[in-house]
Every structure is written in structure tokens, then in C-alpha cells.
């Protein structure tokens, strides 16, 4: 159960309580001040009266003390009975002994035997005592001691307290009425509290507080209303943004589902394409291999026919036989090239870590005769160590460098094999100073059986660059060419970072054949 404390009281009653407490404290302080002032005034008045009485009695007792007339001194003290406040009185001689005394009939209080010393009045036990000196010609001859009661002050104090309590009650009542009348101050704050509770309960930010003036509370009401307006505006924006977010999430969900469906479809098509490519490559290999035997049989029979019946046939027949033998040999070359192309994927070896300079040396050894015939010069940058198929990379270098020897200009071929480390991996290059490639043919040269020149001019079936592209694709790289007709070409191919480990060889090699 929630406890209830002072802080939980309404601000209206807090203001009233503060006003009443302030009024009560003010009245108490004022009453205490008045009481102290009245007490001091009463004491001054009593002291003055007792001083006058003591001086009169002392003056009238001079002769009695001088002549030791106790009767005259007693008669002088009897005059004290005219003042109801005086309880006892006494005259003391020069030696301080009691000489004459007076005591009111209703008082049971004895005089001291020796005169009290000092002229200061003493207040104690509801009475005041005063000692005055009796002098003759400036010389002390005795003392007068007077004691009076202070019942008058007690009566005055009771009357004062009654008046003070009455006044205190009246002022508190007036203060309560005034504090209740201050509702015009607390009402706007109470309205704000009720409005806030209603707003929290109903979640309605369109509510507004009523402004009752242009004072500080009015400014507070304006600020509260502005805050409500800002909160309502931001809540509307948040709700609109939330709706837009939900719409966008739904759209993204639909896009994700569509993308997943497309990826699944793409994966299915990719799997089908890979399977089809494997089957196609296997079919090409099998078909090419199986076509070798009948083609060799046809070529052998035609050649045997030409040798045995060359003298018995006319020129046209001999020409047809030569065309048949040439076509069979060309067909056999095409089939061999097709077998080489299919072996890139069907007869490939596993990758292994290998110094790339080794496949390059093997390719140059295979091209030794062609290099001598063309008087070619081949240089190379340091090669890295990579995870490769050494046989296929040998075939790659052999095809690219061999093309540089084949498609040479009138000058001696110069070929440079480069290797540069890039952010994505190593970029290899094979640069030559040959005849170059026309820009419109650059996109065609990596296709199967694509030729740009006549066979009589440059031999070959147009399969070498297609094999190069397939080798690089198997190594997860790419191949392209930059060429300027008449100046030479540069073939580039890449190997990814994960497959290459940079190792500087001990020396750069060059091969020059004449």
C-alpha cells in the first residue's frame, strides 16, 4: 500500500499551511517581544516605587537611628502598610543589625538578622527585594530593606496571555481565510496537474491548459501548451515514420523474399549450367576422341588412293584428293584443339603451391625452336609462389608467348612477362612488340575458333586464347588485353590474393634465342 506524506498534500493546502505557519510564527515572535517588553517595564516600575519607598523610610528613620529610638523607627515602618504590595520591611543600624521591622499580617516571611549587601533589586519566588542605604550628612548610618510581592505581574501576565491567544486565534482565522482566497494562484497549477493526469491517462496531446493571466504562471501555462503542441507534433511524426517504416519493412521483406527466390532460381540455373557444361565438356572430349579413328581411316585411305592411282587419274581428280586430304588433316587438327579445350576442365590436375617461374621456364623450353626461328627475346620480372595447376599455367604462358612469336612484325619479337602486386592480388602481363589487334576485334579473340587472319598468312585454328581464358577462369581470375595496332599487345591475367604468396626469386632470368 502506498504511504501518504506531506509531499502528497495538494499545493493549495501547502500554500495555506505555509501562510498559517508564517502568521503563527510572526504572532509568537511579536507576543514574545511584547511580553518581554512588558515584563521589563513592570520591573522598572516596581524598582522605582520600592526605591522611592526605601528612600522615604530611610529619610524618616534618620533621627530614630541617630538617637536609637526603636519606637519611632517602628512607627515609620508602619507607614508601609499603606502599600498592599509590600510584604515586609526593616531598618538596620550602622552595624547591619536589625533595628526595627514591619510585616504584613497575611505574610509568613521573616526578615534577615543582618542587612543584605548591595543596592541591586532581587527578583525571586514571586517577590522583589531591595536594600537602600540611610545616610546623614553623607555618612551611612544604616540600611532599609523592603520586600514586595509581584502578584500584580502574574495577573497582568494572565490577562496578556488571554489577549494574545484571542488575537492569535483571530489572526489565524483571518490567515486561513486569506490563504483559501489565494485559490486564484493555486488554481492554474491544479488545472495543470489535472490536465497532465488526463493527458497521461487518455494519451490525448490535443488538450490545452486554460490561461488565467499574464504572470509567471501564465508563462508556465504557455510553455506547457507549447510543449504539448510539440509533443503532439513529434508523436504524429513518429507515428507517420513508424507507418512508413512498417511499409518499408514490408517492402524490404517482399524484396528479400523475391531476392531469395531469384537467388534460388539463379543457383538452380547455375547448377544446371555447370552440370550442362560438365556434360558438354565430357561429350566434346568423348566425341572428339571417338572421331579420331574414322577421320584417320578416311585420311589414310585418301592418301593411299592418291599414291596408288595418281598417274591413272586426271588433274581434277588429283586436286580433289588433295583437298580431301587437306580437309581431313584440318578436321583432325580441329578435333585435337577441341580435345585440348575440353581437357582444361575434364583432365585438370589439383592446384598446388608452385613458383610461377617454373611453368614459365617450361613454356620457354617448349618454345625454344620457335624462339630461335623468330630471333625472339623474352625477359621476366620476379615471379611469386601461387596455388596453381602448373601444367595449365605452362600451357597459358606457351599460348601467349607463342602468339607473340607468331603474330610478329618485321622486327625481331621482344616479349616481357611481368608480375605486379595489387590490392586484389597479382596482375601478370605478357607484353610484345608485334602487329597488335584492331579495337573492334578485342572482344572476339577469346572465343572458340575465332580467327582474325587468313590461314595462309598465320597458321592455327583460333583456339589458343579461348583455352587461356578457360584456364584463368578455373583459377578464379580474369584475362584481358590492351593493344595498339602496329605497336604490340599486352595480355593481362590475375590470380586472387588467397592463392598467391609473394616470394622474391633470387634472380631475374631472360631467354634470348637467335
Amino acid at each position: 500500500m502506498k504511504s501518504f506524506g506531506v509531499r502528497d498534500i495538494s499545493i493549495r493546502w501547502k500554500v495555506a499551511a505555509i501562510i498559517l505557519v508564517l502568521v503563527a510564527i510572526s504572532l509568537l515572535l511579536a507576543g514574545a517581544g511584547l511580553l518581554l517588553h512588558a515584563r521589563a517595564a513592570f520591573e522598572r516600575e516596581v524598582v522605582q516605587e520600592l526605591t522611592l519607598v526605601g528612600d522615604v523610610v530611610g529619610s524618616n528613620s534618620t533621627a530614630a537611628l541617630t538617637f536609637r529610638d526603636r519606637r519611632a523607627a517602628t512607627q515609620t515602618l508602619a507607614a508601609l502598610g499603606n502599600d498592599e504590595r509590600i510584604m515586609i520591611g526593616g531598618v538596620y543600624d550602622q552595624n547591619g543589625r536589625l533595628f526595627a521591622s514591619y510585616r504584613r499580617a497575611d505574610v509568613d516571611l521573616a526578615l534577615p538578622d543582618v542587612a543584605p549587601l548591595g543596592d541591586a533589586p532581587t527578583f525571586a519566588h514571586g517577590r522583589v527585594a531591595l536594600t537602600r542605604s540611610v545616610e546623614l550628612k553623607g555618612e551611612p548610618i544604616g540600611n532599609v530593606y523592603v520586600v514586595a510581592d509581584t502578584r500584580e505581574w502574574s495577573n497582568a501576565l494572565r490577562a496578556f496571555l488571554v489577549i494574545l491567544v484571542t488575537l492569535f486565534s483571530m489572526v489565524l482565522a483571518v490567515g486561513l481565510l486569506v490563504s483559501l482566497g489565494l485559490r486564484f494562484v493555486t488554481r492554474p497549477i491544479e488545472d495543470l496537474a489535472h490536465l497532465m493526469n488526463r493527458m497521461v491517462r487518455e494519451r490525448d496531446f490535443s488538450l490545452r491548459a486554460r490561461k488565467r493571466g499574464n504572470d509567471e504562471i501564465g508563462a508556465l501555462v504557455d510553455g506547457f501548451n507549447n510543449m504539448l503542441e510539440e509533443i503532439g507534433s513529434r508523436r504524429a511524426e513518429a507515428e507517420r515514420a513508424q507507418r512508413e517504416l512498417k511499409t518499408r519493412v514490408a517492402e524490404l521483406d517482399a524484396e528479400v523474399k523475391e531476392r531469395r527466390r531469384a537467388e534460388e532460381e539463379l543457383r538452380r540455373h547455375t547448377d544446371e549450367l555447370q552440370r550442362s557444361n560438365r556434360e558438354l565438356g565430357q561429350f566434346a572430349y568423348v566425341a572428339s576422341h571417338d572421331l579420331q579413328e574414322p577421320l584417320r581411316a578416311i585420311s589414310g585411305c585418301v592418301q593411299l588412293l592418291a599414291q596408288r592411282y595418281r598417274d591413272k587419274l586426271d588433274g581434277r581428280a588429283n586436286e580433289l584428293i588433295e583437298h580431301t586430304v587437306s580437309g581431313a588433316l584440318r578436321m583432325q587438327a580441329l578435333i585435337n584443339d577441341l580435345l585440348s579445350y575440353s581437357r582444361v576442365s575434364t583432365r585438370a590436375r589439383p592446384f598446388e603451391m608452385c613458383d610461377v617461374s617454373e611453368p614459365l621456364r617450361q613454356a620457354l623450353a617448349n618454345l625454344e625452336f620457335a624462339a630461335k626461328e623468330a630471333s625472339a627475346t623474352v625477359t621476366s620480372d620476379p615471379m611469386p609462389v601461387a596455388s596453381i595447376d602448373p601444367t595449365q599455367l605452362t600451357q597459358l604462358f606457351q599460348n601467349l608467348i607463342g602468339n607473340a612469336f607468331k603474330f610478329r612484325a618485321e622486327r625481331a619479337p621482344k616479349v616481357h612477362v611481368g608480375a605486379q602486386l595489387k590490392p586484389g592480388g597479382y596482375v601478370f602481363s605478357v607484353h610484345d612488340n608485334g602487329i597488335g589487334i584492331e579495337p573492334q576485334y578485342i572482344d572476339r579473340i577469346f572465343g572458340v575458333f575465332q580467327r582474325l587472319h587468313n590461314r595462309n598468312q598465320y597458321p592455327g585454328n583460333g583456339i589458343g586464347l579461348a583455352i587461356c581464358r578457360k584456364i584463368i577462369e578455373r583459377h578464379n581470375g580474369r584475362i584481358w588485353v590492351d593493344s595498339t595496332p602496329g605497336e604490340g599487345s599486352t595480355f593481362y591475367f590475375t590470380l586472387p590474393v588467397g592463392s598467391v604468396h609473394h616470394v622474391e626469386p633470387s634472380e631475374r632470368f631472360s631467354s634470348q634465342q637467335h
Side-chain angles (χ1 to χ4, degrees), residues 56-120:
V56 170
V57 171
S59 177
N60 292 331
S61 300
T62 304
L65 289 172
T66 301
F67 295 104
R68 307 292 296 177
D69 189 355
R70 294 180 181 276
R71 182 179 178 183
T74 303
Q75 291 177 349
T76 301
L77 287 174
L80 296 178
N82 297 326
D83 192 344
E84 295 180 352
R85 294 179 297 180
I86 297 177
M87 302 175 66
I88 57 175
V91 176
Y92 293 82
D93 60 15
Q94 187 176 10
N95 296 323
R97 293 189 296 271
L98 182 63
F99 183 72
S101 63
Y102 165 79
R103 183 172 63 188
R104 200 171 64 193
D106 59 341
V107 174
D108 186 13
L109 185 65
L111 286 168
D113 295 333
V114 180
L117 300 178
D119 295 334

Side-chain angles (χ1 to χ4, degrees), residues 189-238:
I189 301 177
E190 293 175 351
D191 291 343
L192 282 178
H194 293 317
L195 181 65
M196 183 182 65
N197 292 331
R198 181 183 172 189
M199 178 192 67
V200 172
R201 185 175 61 255
E202 300 177 3
R203 307 296 294 175
D204 184 4
F205 295 97
S206 62
L207 300 174
R208 294 294 181 270
R210 180 183 175 185
K211 184 177 179 180
R212 299 178 183 273
N214 294 320
D215 55 358
E216 290 82 357
I217 297 179
L220 177 63
V221 171
D222 288 338
F224 186 77
N225 289 334
N226 292 334
M227 182 187 68
L228 288 180
E229 184 176 357
E230 182 69 18
I231 292 175
S233 175
R234 295 201 175 182
R235 183 185 181 188
E237 293 178 359

Side-chain angles (χ1 to χ4, degrees), residues 250-488:
E251 293 176 354
L252 288 176
D253 187 57
E255 291 180 3
V256 169
K257 291 181 179 178
E258 180 64 23
R259 182 172 296 178
R260 287 178 179 174
R261 188 192 63 79
E263 290 177 353
E264 186 65 28
E265 187 71 15
L266 179 61
R267 189 180 300 109
R268 187 177 62 82
H269 285 304
T270 301
D271 293 340
E272 291 180 357
L273 183 60
Q274 290 177 351
R275 180 180 55 81
S276 177
N277 286 338
R278 288 193 299 269
E279 292 177 354
L280 183 60
Q282 189 66 26
F283 171 77
Y285 178 78
V286 173
S288 300
H289 185 273
D290 292 343
L291 287 175
Q292 292 282 359
E293 288 300 324
L295 190 58
R296 279 195 293 266
I298 294 173
S299 177
C301 290
V302 174
Q303 290 178 2
L304 183 60
L305 182 63
Q307 293 175 1
R308 183 171 296 181
Y309 298 102
R310 180 178 300 274
D311 297 336
K312 297 179 181 180
L313 299 175
D314 57 10
R316 179 60 178 167
N318 291 329
E319 184 179 354
L320 292 175
I321 290 174
E322 290 178 0
H323 284 306
T324 302
V325 172
S326 177
L329 293 176
R330 184 185 168 202
M331 179 63 73
Q332 190 173 11
L334 290 173
I335 292 173
N336 287 331
D337 290 340
L338 187 59
L339 278 173
S340 299
Y341 184 78
S342 64
R343 286 194 185 102
V344 174
S345 56
T346 59
R347 294 295 183 268
R349 291 171 54 186
F351 289 172
E352 60 182 71
M353 296 305 299
C354 177
D355 189 342
V356 179
S357 61
E358 293 302 323
L360 178 58
R361 287 192 179 96
Q362 184 61 44
L364 292 176
N366 296 340
L367 293 170
E368 182 178 3
F369 178 77
K372 289 182 179 180
E373 182 182 7
S375 300
T377 301
V378 180
T379 58
S380 170
D381 288 342
M383 294 289 113
V385 174
S387 177
I388 59 173
D389 182 339
T391 302
Q392 289 188 350
L393 216 62
T394 299
Q395 187 177 8
L396 172 72
F397 282 126
Q398 185 172 329
N399 287 348
L400 295 177
I401 299 173
N403 283 345
F405 295 167
K406 183 193 300 183
F407 299 101
R408 63 180 181 271
E410 294 181 357
R411 56 184 176 270
K414 290 185 179 180
V415 181
H416 180 75
V417 180
Q420 291 185 344
L421 181 62
K422 300 290 184 180
Y426 259 92
V427 177
F428 297 86
S429 62
V430 179
H431 174 73
D432 63 56
N433 61 345
I435 61 175
I437 305 170
E438 296 291 339
Q440 63 268 26
Y441 300 124
I442 287 180
D443 294 335
R444 292 176 49 192
I445 60 175
F446 293 104
V448 180
F449 300 130
Q450 294 292 323
R451 291 182 51 83
L452 304 181
H453 305 90
N454 190 286
R455 288 186 179 84
N456 295 329
Q457 193 175 8
Y458 296 101
N461 296 318
I463 196 72
L465 291 179
I467 292 176
C468 291
R469 184 181 68 177
K470 196 168 185 180
I471 291 173
I472 292 301
E473 288 176 350
R474 180 172 178 257
H475 285 73
N476 295 321
R478 65 187 186 95
I479 186 169
W480 71 98
V481 63
D482 287 336
S483 180
T484 302
E487 296 183 7

